[in-house]
């Protein structure tokens, strides 16, 4: 069953690059996008539950809430029952700061950390993570 | 050969003493003087023998001498007189010499005599003066205090350190050098120390403060040493004024915090730079990979468009690197104040910002400046350019007209400028990012460097910049700059023109 994807990134070019890249890779289904954390939280928590938990590619450096704050809020909403869905999140960022990697590791929802641009090896790793 | 009498034996013994000594008989006549006494009293060898002792007493001390003699006869026992001064003799050459003498009753050949030992107290005074000179040469302040807490000696540095004139401190209580709140405790410490103190630093790790004549308190380090003197036990206090030391320490610790802050800024600059300068490169790389994949697949529909996009992002990256460098250097560049016509500068910046999209925004100005304002023109230009370009960019599409308002006034020598617009404003939760490097508040933000640079420039010129929180509609920024002093040469060329 193809895995739905949501790309959360304020940079339109980067959303476009990921969408194009994944669209020609087998195994991934519908690719949605959100321009920032707010848009992602409201559409994701508010929309109908999909059959398969989606893969969320989350940028870190975004206006208003950064990627970590968005995940924090998502975990809070799932924990309080305000969001009835779960997801598998991987960070996709141009940062390779050790602090950011450390922070990412602390979240239950976050399964991976990748630096832009996403290449074929990264996609293989994501597939392995999804099937694990 | 006849045997020596007791008297002769005595005289032989006295003659080898380096101390001036006389033997005086019951009739108050000198029976013998040793060579040291002849030298002290300036008489030829043996000339004093047989003379009445009173030849050595200055006229004005005759009565006192007689009283002393009577007192001694009444209670003939060994005693010292003249240690505190006041005793003097008249020499064979008529000079008056101050003396200290010791008296001892002896019986020689069955006759009661007095042996008198005399020392020139002038020598002691000289010695005291030498000691004093040594103490005055010390770089530390030195004070001698007796057990009643009275200052008995203060060297030059002590006098100067506490702001007194030479001689003024002697005889005064040590309390006057101690902050008032500590008087009681300090008196207790003095009593304790005289009860068996050993040489040690005072305060034992506490920070000590002394009081200057003016009442000003200053930090000191004090060492204490007990000293035995003919006048009893005294305490010598050696004191170092730590004012300069403490100030230097404070300056050093301020420098350290400043360096820590700079280090932190550098760290965050390096991280931000590595992240935010890498971001466009990652986008370019991503686009290039897409193009390669597309070309390999023979699908060239989007290749051209993606190459253009990559080129634009790369250009923007170049711009960003340059701006980052400008930001890193701002605050270090030389600044040259010159008279600036602020209204004209605002108009110039506005023209450049809006020439390509005329009619999209309207500028309203309200300038109440008496004349040109002296400041760093290039810096002010960058600040205005940043604020005006932001004001133009954050237009609210729902409004019929986008209006940018600039007001400037002279607030007693300070330039106060407000730049506001009726655009979308800055959400409260993003305001903390406004002046941060790479702090972007929305997709419409530029590289996140403009306001950081503007703030750095305003800081450098000694002014302040802030977001005006109270505004309900749109965004408003305000900054102040102090009027700079024109450099000397600018003044002179100006006056020549007039």
């Amino acid at each position: 069953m193809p895995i739905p994807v949501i790309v959360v990134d304020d940079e339109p070019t980067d959303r476009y690059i990921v969408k194009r890249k994944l669209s020609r890779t087998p195994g991934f289904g519908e690719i949605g996008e959100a321009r920032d954390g707010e848009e992602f939280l409201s559409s994701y928590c508010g929309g109908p539950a999909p059959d398969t938990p989606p893969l969320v590619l989350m940028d870190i450096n975004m206006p208003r809430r950064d990627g970590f704050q968005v995940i924090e809020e998502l975990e809070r909403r799932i924990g309080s029952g305000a969001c009835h869905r779960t997801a598998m999140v991987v960070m996709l960022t141009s940062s390779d700061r050790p602090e950011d990697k450390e922070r990412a590791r602390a979240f239950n929802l976050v399964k991976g950390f990748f630096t832009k641009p996403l290449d074929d090896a990264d996609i293989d790793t994501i597939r392995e993570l999804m099937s694990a | 050969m006849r045997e020596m009498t007791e008297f002769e034996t005595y005289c032989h013994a006295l003659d080898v003493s380096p101390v001036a000594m006389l033997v005086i008989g019951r009739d108050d006549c000198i029976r013998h003087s040793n060579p040291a006494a002849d030298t002290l009293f300036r008489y030829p060898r043996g000339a004093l023998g047989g003379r009445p002792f009173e030849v050595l007493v200055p006229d004005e001390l005759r009565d006192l001498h007689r009283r002393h003699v009577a007192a001694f006869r009444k209670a003939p026992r060994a005693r010292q007189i003249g240690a505190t001064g006041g005793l003097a003799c008249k020499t064979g050459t008529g000079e008056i010499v101050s003396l200290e003498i010791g008296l001892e009753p002896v019986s020689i050949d069955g006759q009661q005599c007095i042996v008198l030992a005399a020392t020139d107290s002038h020598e002691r005074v000289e010695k005291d003066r030498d000691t004093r000179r040594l103490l005055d040469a010390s770089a530390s302040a030195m004070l001698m205090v007796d057990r009643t807490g009275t200052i008995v000696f203060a060297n030059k540095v002590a006098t100067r350190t506490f702001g007194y004139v030479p001689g003024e401190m002697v005889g005064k209580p040590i309390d006057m050098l101690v902050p008032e709140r500590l008087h009681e405790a300090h008196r207790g410490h003095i009593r304790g120390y005289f009860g068996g103190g050993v040489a040690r630093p005072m305060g034992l790790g506490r920070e000590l403060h002394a009081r200057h004549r003016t009442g000003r308190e200053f930090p000191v380090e004090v060492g204490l040493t007990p000293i035995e003197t003919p006048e009893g036990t005294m305490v010598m206090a050696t004191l170092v004024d730590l004012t300069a030391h403490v100030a230097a320490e404070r300056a050093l610790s301020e420098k350290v915090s400043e360096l820590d802050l700079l280090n932190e800024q550098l760290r965050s600059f390096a991280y931000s730079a590595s992240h935010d300068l890498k971001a466009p490169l990652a986008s370019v790389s991503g686009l290039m990979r897409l193009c390669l994949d597309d070309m390999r697949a023979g699908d060239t529909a989007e290749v051209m468009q993606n190459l253009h996009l990559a080129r634009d992002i790369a250009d923007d990256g170049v711009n960003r690197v340059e701006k980052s460098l400008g930001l890193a250097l701002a605050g270090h560049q030389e600044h040259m104040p010159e008279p600036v016509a602020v209204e004209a500068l605002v108009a110039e910046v506005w023209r450049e910002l809006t020439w390509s999209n005329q009619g999209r925004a309207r500028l309203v100005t309200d300038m109440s400046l008496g004349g040109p304002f002296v400041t760093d023109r290039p810096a002010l230009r960058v600040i205005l350019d940043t604020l005006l370009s932001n004001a133009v960019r954050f237009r609210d599409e729902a409004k019929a007209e986008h209006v940018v308002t600039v007001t400037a006034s002279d607030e007693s020598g300070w330039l106060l400028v407000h730049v506001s617009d009726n655009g979308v404003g800055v959400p409260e939760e993003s305001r903390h990012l406004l002046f941060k490097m790479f702090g972007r508040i929305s997709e419409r933000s530029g590289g996140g460097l403009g306001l950081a640079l503007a703030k750095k420039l305003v800081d450098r010129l000694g002014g302040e910049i802030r977001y005006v929180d109270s505004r309900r509609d749109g965004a408003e920024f305000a900054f102040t700059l102090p009027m700079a002093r024109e450099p000397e040469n600018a003044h002179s060329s100006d006056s020549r023109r007039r």
Side-chain angles (χ1 to χ4, degrees), chain B residues 23 31 42 125-126 337:
Chain B
V23 180
R31 292 186 61 191
R42 318 246 201 304
V125 169
E126 272 299 304

Side-chain angles (χ1 to χ4, degrees), chain A residues 10-11 13-14 16-17 20-21 24 35-36 61 63-64 93-99 116-119, chain B residues 267 271 275-276 278-279 282-283 285-287 289-290 293-294 302 306 309 313 430 440-443:
Chain A
D10 61 312
E11 196 55 64
T13 311
D14 288 359
Y16 164 77
I17 293 169
R20 283 286 319 269
K21 182 83 193 164
R24 55 171 62 162
R35 283 174 303 176
D36 57 33
N61 191 27
R64 294 182 282 276
T93 168
S94 44
S95 158
D96 55 359
R97 284 172 59 165
E99 290 100 311
K116 293 176 188 173
L118 209 55
D119 61 20
Chain B
R267 228 174 75 92
Y271 273 134
H275 173 260
D276 289 76
K278 252 167 71 186
S283 299
S285 168
L287 287 170
R289 281 159 201 263
L290 281 187
D293 288 350
D294 282 350
E302 292 177 21
N306 286 342
L309 193 52
I313 294 171
S430 302
R440 301 173 65 238
I441 61 155
S442 83
E443 319 58 62

Side-chain angles (χ1 to χ4, degrees), chain B residues 69-90:
Chain B
V69 172
F72 187 78
R73 294 230 189 279
K74 208 177 268 178
R77 52 176 170 76
R79 66 187 66 182
Q80 296 278 333
I81 49 180
T84 52
L87 204 62
C89 74
K90 187 170 77 184

Side-chain angles (χ1 to χ4, degrees), chain B residues 245-410:
Chain B
H245 180 81
V246 167
E249 230 170 42
R250 193 167 301 145
L252 187 68
S253 90
E254 271 166 20
K255 263 269 151 350
V256 169
S257 338
E258 209 175 284
L259 280 177
D260 280 349
L261 189 70
L262 277 176
N263 247 330
E264 190 45 48
Q265 281 179 356
L266 184 67
R267 228 174 75 92
S268 92
F269 178 85
Y271 273 134
S272 303
S274 81
H275 173 260
D276 289 76
L277 301 178
K278 252 167 71 186
L281 286 178
S283 299
V284 170
S285 168
L287 287 170
M288 290 302 171
R289 281 159 201 263
L290 281 187
C291 289
L292 287 172
D293 288 350
D294 282 350
M295 286 168 83
R296 228 175 269 131
D299 171 12
T300 54
E302 292 177 21
V303 168
M304 208 51 186
Q305 176 199 326
N306 286 342
L307 283 175
H308 276 123
L309 193 52
R311 184 203 56 196
D312 290 348
I313 294 171
D315 285 350
D316 186 55
V318 169
N319 197 6
R320 233 189 246 205
V321 169
E322 272 166 8
K323 265 199 173 167
S324 300
L325 220 69
L327 185 63
L329 292 176
H332 301 288
Q333 281 147 348
E334 198 69 28
H335 98 106
M336 288 294 285
E338 60 182 295
V340 181
V342 179
E343 183 155 18
L345 184 61
V346 169
E348 183 185 318
V349 169
W350 181 260
R351 242 188 342 268
E352 283 183 23
L353 278 172
T354 54
W355 69 271
S356 60
N357 56 353
Q358 276 163 11
R360 294 261 301 150
R362 185 163 63 89
L363 176 69
V364 177
T365 60
D366 178 7
M367 307 278 181
S368 54
L369 292 166
F373 188 83
V374 179
T375 189
D376 180 345
R377 183 188 161 91
L380 179 58
R381 196 181 199 294
V382 170
I383 298 163
L384 287 171
D385 184 77
T386 302
L387 295 179
L388 289 173
S389 70
N390 280 344
V392 170
R393 191 175 320 137
F394 288 89
R395 172 190 186 97
D396 182 354
E397 301 296 343
K399 294 205 175 87
E401 190 185 31
H402 188 54
V403 182
V404 175
T405 308
V406 180
T407 68
S409 54
D410 185 340

